[in-house]
Amino acid sequence: MPLLTKPLQISRDEYHLISIQRWFQSLEEDGASIETMPREDVREYHRVAIQHLLSYVWEHNPFYRDRLQMAGYDPETEFQINNLRDVPFLVKDDLRNHYKELVTKKKLAHICKSTGTTGSKPSYIGHTMDELYSYYFAPKYPTLMGGVKNKVVANALPYEMSSSALTFHHEFQHLLNCTILPVGKGGAYSEPEIALQFMKDWEAEILVTTPSYAILLHEQAQALQLDIQNDFTLKHIFLTGEGTSHYFRKRIELLWGCTSTILFGSLEAMLVGLECVEQDGFHLAEGHLYVEIVDEETLEPLEAGQQGEIVVTTLLREGMPLVRYRTGDIGFIEESGCACGVSLPKLCLRGRNIEQIKIESGEFSPFYLENILMQVDGVGNWYRFIVKDRLLKVEVEPFHENIDRELLAEQINSSFEFHINMDCDVEVVEKVLRNPGKVKRVWLEK
Ligand SMILES: [Zn+2]
């Protein structure tokens, strides 16, 4: 079938990322974008981009070359997308133990560290200058991100160690011509009250932060007796960095009086999916990544609609490209189209296996439990789940001080009994522990 979009062609004597960048530019000049490109054309882009990615790592990276050799890869053979299935997976331990071997272009412009769990070995991802300021901006998502153009953006993500704040900083500043307020997320110089003052003084229209920090900033604004409607000019919040349930996110929108969408990604993969106004799954960032879903046990590739582990291959990275990286996240892909008009398939996330709460009546995502809790009238914004001996204890704040705590505890208990068929111990407390530097809503003590 002939392609509708102009085909991506890469000549052998040209660096493939420059060709891909030029191709995206010419698409833009024609008024086309990856967001609405015919699926057949996206598949062809993936095939060509991965073919060149593999020959790039084959030539420049002994670590990947060994793995490709094991898979019987031959750079002279015509590449089909299904051939990627022969390439061994890259796992988190590879990033922890072989991070220097994964560096494919020696000059890295910056290196970021995973936030990781305390005590675990860190993993690192480095990027080249060209990648950060050039190749990575090639594919555009005009429907999903276009609304941010030229806006004043408060970036309330951590700037130190991790890549999250820096990624959005570059993206919004260079690609979308925004004015960035680098307010940070509770570091030594970025206490919430200073962040709020900054946002107020420079009339931030967009806030990028985690769900829990959005709540914490609001709580602080109330404590400072700031008027959300009159003192702030926020129109939209991009939530990222942690999961959230539907009802918790609705609270954030209600409290701040604005809309929100979630951006899903990680240190390793960077941006993976972008939510649209429908708030029902993440459109895959297919300009940047090729995504596979594999069976968690057999690691065999699955079809659209089937749930498994999310595996990503980066298409535009030269410093530390990832080939078939197992993210540990669980989800499935939905290809049935979306009312927003974007034709990129949607990723429906089901959390991570290691984060599931295992209790007597079954295994539950913490966000499923959060959704149950947040629907009970009178429940405050802060809580923690404590799991011990497969029993669930819920510690929660009341929404305001006049709420009958005994009655609230009973209502929460009966709601959990109804939804998860299990009695749980509910304690309505004055204040759930929080720490501005590392805010968490889901606490597990096993
Ligand atoms: Zn959509």
Side-chain angles (χ1 to χ4, degrees):
M1 197 169 78
L3 296 179
L4 301 173
T5 315
K6 59 179 87 167
L8 166 63
Q9 282 171 336
I10 299 172
S11 69
R12 273 193 168 257
D13 49 358
E14 187 172 59
Y15 182 42
H16 71 284
L17 290 183
I18 291 176
S19 306
I20 293 177
Q21 186 185 27
R22 194 181 300 134
W23 179 68
F24 274 114
Q25 273 165 1
S26 74
L27 288 183
E28 202 182 340
E29 284 158 17
D30 292 349
S33 89
I34 190 93
E35 271 187 350
T36 48
M37 203 183 279
R39 299 303 302 149
E40 202 54 33
D41 296 6
V42 176
R43 280 190 275 275
E44 177 60 8
Y45 159 58
H46 285 164
R47 188 190 71 78
V48 177
I50 293 169
Q51 177 184 335
H52 286 273
L53 168 71
L54 295 186
S55 60
Y56 168 70
V57 296
W58 174 269
E59 280 171 36
H60 299 285
N61 187 311
F63 176 85
Y64 273 125
R65 191 182 178 119
D66 284 351
R67 297 161 73 96
L68 290 175
Q69 253 164 350
M70 275 191 291
Y73 171 79
D74 176 3
E76 298 305 320
T77 308
E78 171 81 5
F79 177 79
Q80 295 303 326
I81 204 89
N82 283 348
N83 300 141
L84 187 65
R85 295 177 175 188
D86 300 327
V87 179
F89 293 104
L90 196 67
V91 294
K92 194 124 194 161
D93 273 346
D94 292 322
L95 265 61
R96 289 182 181 130
N97 299 323
H98 303 284
Y99 50 88
K100 285 196 177 160
E101 293 160 72
L102 283 163
V103 178
T104 301
K105 195 160 182 171
K106 296 298 172 204
K107 180 64 189 167
L108 298 175
H110 83 189
I111 299 162
C112 289
K113 179 192 156 298
S114 67
T115 41
T117 37
T118 316
S120 69
K121 239 177 158 178
S123 60
Y124 302 100
I125 287 286
H127 298 279
T128 66
M129 189 74 99
D130 283 337
E131 202 177 297
L132 281 178
Y133 288 94
S134 185
Y135 308 135
Y136 220 69
F137 293 158
K140 309 232 177 11
Y141 304 95
T143 309
L144 298 165
M145 294 300 286
V148 190
K149 246 186 182 165
N150 304 319
K151 298 277 196 296
V152 179
V153 178
N155 192 352
L157 291 168
Y159 270 85
E160 62 277 43
M161 298 284 184
S162 92
S163 65
S164 58
L166 287 170
T167 304
F168 292 113
H169 189 106
H170 291 140
E171 176 101 9
F172 289 130
Q173 198 170 53
H174 291 265
L175 185 65
L176 297 159
N177 202 34
C178 296
T179 302
I180 307 291
L181 315 180
V183 302
K185 183 175 171 264
Y189 296 102
S190 58
E191 282 104 353
E193 55 268 42
I194 302 171
L196 289 163
Q197 186 70 42
F198 202 167
M199 288 164 62
K200 182 172 172 281
D201 288 346
W202 285 93
E203 295 165 24
E205 298 157 283
I206 309 279
L207 171 65
V208 192
T209 194
T210 61
S212 51
Y213 207 67
I215 290 282
L216 190 134
L217 282 176
H218 183 272
E219 189 177 55
Q220 193 66 38
Q222 278 191 316
L224 296 169
Q225 296 187 320
L226 293 167
D227 180 341
I228 299 296
Q229 293 309 321
N230 294 315
D231 289 334
F232 294 94
T233 39
L234 274 191
K235 303 275 184 300
H236 188 79
I237 303 180
F238 284 107
L239 298 168
T240 191
E242 62 188 27
T244 180
S245 65
H246 174 74
Y247 279 92
F248 193 79
R249 164 231 277 230
K250 286 293 161 201
R251 278 183 181 223
I252 294 170
E253 292 185 342
L254 202 66
L255 291 172
W256 280 103
C258 63
T259 53
S260 75
T261 45
I262 302 173
L263 300 170
F264 169 62
S266 65
L267 165 85
E268 297 85 4
M270 291 175 76
L271 185 64
V272 175
L274 311 93
E275 202 181 45
C276 64
V277 289
E278 300 297 317
Q279 298 187 338
D280 181 26
F282 304 93
H283 288 288
L284 289 174
E286 287 194 330
H288 292 84
L289 298 164
Y290 175 70
V291 175
E292 299 170 83
I293 304 289
V294 300
D295 185 281
E296 290 168 70
E297 300 294 323
T298 66
L299 302 179
E300 286 300 313
L302 298 174
E303 298 296 318
Q306 294 180 301
Q307 183 166 308
E309 185 172 348
I310 300 161
V311 173
V312 300
T313 296
T314 60
L315 305 176
L316 300 170
R317 276 164 41 181
E318 57 178 0
M320 288 176 77
L322 302 181
V323 180
R324 301 200 89 201
Y325 174 64
R326 283 178 57 191
T327 62
D329 293 311
I330 306 299
F332 62 90
I333 289 176
E334 200 179 79
E335 287 185 331
S336 54
C338 182
C340 77
V342 171
S343 54
L344 295 168
K346 284 200 285 196
L347 178 67
C348 301
L349 265 185
R350 289 293 173 263
R352 315 195 107 210
N353 262 356
I354 48 164
E355 287 168 356
Q356 300 300 298
I357 296 181
K358 299 180 176 82
I359 46 179
E360 267 177 4
S361 63
E363 270 186 42
F364 302 95
S365 150
F367 302 109
Y368 176 76
L369 300 183
E370 179 188 88
N371 218 31
I372 297 170
L373 185 65
M374 289 294 143
Q375 287 177 73
V376 179
D377 278 347
V379 162
N381 298 325
W382 297 93
Y383 68 90
R384 59 178 188 161
F385 295 136
I386 301 157
V387 182
K388 204 173 177 193
D389 300 329
R390 295 177 73 84
L391 297 173
L392 178 66
K393 181 179 174 186
V394 183
E395 216 175 78
V396 65
E397 287 179 18
F399 197 73
H400 55 77
E401 56 191 23
N402 299 330
I403 283 172
D404 181 332
R405 296 180 181 205
E406 215 167 298
L407 182 65
L408 179 61
E410 268 173 40
Q411 286 168 335
I412 294 169
N413 194 25
S414 65
S415 184
F416 273 97
E417 206 171 1
F418 178 77
H419 286 100
I420 63 170
N421 197 24
M422 197 176 132
D423 224 10
C424 57
D425 180 15
V426 181
E427 194 180 347
V428 180
V429 296
E430 188 63 37
K431 194 154 191 173
V432 170
L433 187 68
R434 66 203 68 164
N435 170 0
K438 198 177 178 188
V439 180
K440 276 190 189 173
R441 285 176 295 117
V442 181
W443 303 66
L444 297 177
E445 291 181 5
K446 292 176 185 171

